[in-house]
Amino acid sequence: MFQVEEVIDEARWDKQVCALGGGLPHAGVYARYMSASNGNAAPCYMSLKDESGSLVGVAVGFRERSPRKLVGPLTSRVWLGALPSIVSGVENGLLDFLSNLELYARDSGNSILEVQSAASRGGREELEQLEFQLTRRLEFVLDLQLSEEELWKGMNYKRRKNINKARRMDVTVSDLSGAEGIAALRRLQ
């Protein structure tokens, strides 16, 4: 059963995302951030359950439509920042999720369905099978469990130089809570 909700209990949602091994693009805070940065993007929380009612997959998507009457129907779209997070070992789980997502997008009158790949692994075969138009892009994942020394060695010289310059100029970095961090990032943008 494929379900799309517009309002969720964020703590409960995030627990489900963690249980499925999802990442930031599947989290409630990501949905709030993207909605704040794009006033036209309304978040929708998608889940897929199997016949027994067990959760198989989750994704955060966004519905977006131009406020202009003439172009609104032509530009209405549903998009995901990353492939859905699917329970490992579920046969055709991603394919089922994407098929249901496509039906949802069509049935709700959208002309575009976009699935981005932020730090997603795999999915190419399923997307090709559903005849998505694929665009190659370069992404990287940084393992934050490496030691500081290993992380420094992995950076190119220019980046290390700029960071050290910022330190000499007394630039400080502060960790902020989710809400404070989002507000500060919005101000910076």
Side-chain angles (χ1 to χ4, degrees), residues 4-21:
V4 178
E5 300 173 88
E6 294 179 13
V7 179
I8 47 107
D9 173 353
E10 192 173 308
R12 185 180 66 74
W13 176 263
D14 288 346
K15 283 182 185 177
Q16 291 175 328
V17 168
C18 287
L20 293 179

Side-chain angles (χ1 to χ4, degrees), residues 144-160:
L144 296 177
Q145 295 181 6
L146 296 174
S147 70
E148 187 172 343
E149 183 179 317
E150 291 171 309
L151 289 171
W152 275 105
K153 284 180 185 175
M155 283 186 213
N156 69 27
Y157 169 75
K158 188 174 182 179
R159 180 161 293 143
R160 285 194 308 262

